[in-house]
Amino acid sequence: MDSNAIVVGVDGSDEADRALRWAAGTAARRREPLHIVHGFAPMAGFYGAGLPVLREAYEAFVQAADDLLAAAERTAREAGGPGLTITAGKLHEAGPVALIEASRTARTVVLGCSGTGGFTGMMVGSTTVEVAAHARCPVVVVRGRDEATGPVVAGVDGSATSERALATAFEEASWRGVPLVAVHVWADADVAGPPGTVPFLVDWSEIEQDAQRLLAEQLAGWQEKYPDVVVERVVARDRPRHQLLSWSERAQLVVVGSRGRGGFRGLLLGSTSQALIHHAHCPVMIVRPEAV
């Protein structure tokens, strides 16, 4: 696999096929390589077990995986065009493990919102959640509308992970040639204090001014680095997930940190990122904290 490639996971499902097409189109426009990963983990003990029927079963699994990857390469070529560099790998590991390992050197990992391993009724497959929570690079969950229209939207909350997400969002908006909408949300619960306080004594206008100031400080350096990106600032008294889900109806990509300032220590995915990968109307990029 080329370093800094766009990696996409495939499993033969319709959602994985959508993610594959999105990843191939993105890689082609960015002139970056695409690497297709299929986590191949048949039942342990088939290979070399010494029983002809088990060897035959294993060989059937291998052939099915090879056929799946060959079909995925054809789909990627169709979506990305003749100039796209495509590689593929059949890894002898479960899907999440294979993708998390690939994320160590990838630019981005791309997944469908569910796959063949999901349970009926689940909006997001377990592989998607696990990779989004543990990957070492940004993860894009392809869901919602198929057309790539509208701005890039970034959630900003002042946390270190949010700062990384904002940097990624500026870079995404720049190469796409679209505006960036920076959304900072403050909620009553953030400032009203514990039960028994008197909320009407809070100076909401001062709180809003502080929120405006925080957003301006977060944007300052990035607007200088990306002068080509037109930025719309949104400060709202709401819940982050409500605002970002609403913006996802008109965005082509929503970018958020995996966990913001409101998350519990040790929680790998915050409530906002969880809500987006389950319910957003466009692809969602989850940016993890910098590896230590």
Side-chain angles (χ1 to χ4, degrees):
M1 180 183 99
D2 290 334
S3 179
N4 217 34
I6 293 176
V7 173
V8 59
V10 297
D11 61 10
S13 66
D14 290 342
E15 294 299 334
D17 187 68
R18 284 189 65 204
L20 174 62
R21 291 180 180 276
W22 188 95
T26 299
R29 291 193 299 275
R30 294 188 68 115
R31 294 184 174 86
E32 292 175 344
L34 176 73
H35 184 64
I36 304 169
V37 171
H38 175 55
F40 173 69
M43 291 177 63
F46 271 16
Y47 188 75
L51 298 177
V53 65
L54 294 184
R55 285 200 300 271
E56 290 173 7
Y58 181 85
E59 289 166 3
F61 277 118
V62 170
Q63 186 60 55
D66 288 341
D67 291 346
L68 187 154
L69 280 175
E73 289 191 56
R74 291 193 295 270
T75 298
R77 181 65 63 201
E78 177 185 311
L84 177 62
T85 299
I86 302 173
T87 56
K90 179 176 80 256
L91 302 183
H92 291 260
E93 298 168 317
V97 176
L99 290 165
I100 291 167
E101 180 61 29
S103 76
R104 294 179 179 275
T105 56
R107 166 181 282 279
T108 311
V109 170
V110 181
L111 292 168
C113 59
S114 64
T116 57
F119 295 98
T120 301
M122 287 182 67
M123 292 183 180
V124 172
S126 57
T127 293
T128 301
V129 173
E130 187 171 351
V131 175
H134 294 280
R136 305 295 290 272
C137 69
V139 174
V140 174
V141 180
V142 177
R143 55 171 304 111
R145 305 186 318 276
D146 286 329
E147 68 274 14
T149 59
V152 170
V153 174
V156 182
D157 67 8
S159 67
T161 306
S162 166
E163 178 75 11
R164 294 196 75 207
L166 185 60
T168 303
F170 263 102
E171 199 269 343
E172 289 287 329
S174 179
W175 81 261
R176 293 168 187 267
V178 299
L180 172 67
V181 179
V183 179
H184 176 63
V185 177
W186 53 280
D188 295 1
D190 294 337
V191 295
T197 59
V198 186
F200 60 79
L201 294 179
V202 175
D203 187 342
W204 298 117
S205 63
E206 183 177 345
I207 298 298
E208 183 172 3
Q209 289 173 12
D210 288 343
Q212 294 276 9
R213 189 159 44 248
L214 182 149
L215 182 57
E217 290 171 355
Q218 291 267 285
L219 290 172
W222 297 113
Q223 286 188 282
E224 294 174 5
K225 184 175 181 179
Y226 295 97
D228 58 312
V229 176
V230 176
V231 179
E232 178 180 350
R233 304 182 187 187
V234 175
V235 173
R237 181 178 169 186
D238 197 356
R239 287 294 183 185
R241 73 188 75 173
H242 296 160
Q243 279 289 314
L244 293 170
L245 285 172
S246 177
W247 274 101
S248 75
E249 295 179 6
R250 48 201 140 150
Q252 63 177 270
L253 181 70
V254 173
V255 184
V256 292
S258 57
R259 184 174 64 87
R261 57 185 169 82
F264 296 100
R265 184 177 298 276
L267 191 66
L268 295 172
L269 279 183
S271 59
T272 298
S273 54
Q274 287 268 14
L276 286 166
I277 64 176
H278 281 80
H279 301 292
H281 301 279
C282 71
V284 177
M285 178 179 281
I286 307 296
V287 179
R288 296 271 301 135
E290 187 172 3
V292 294

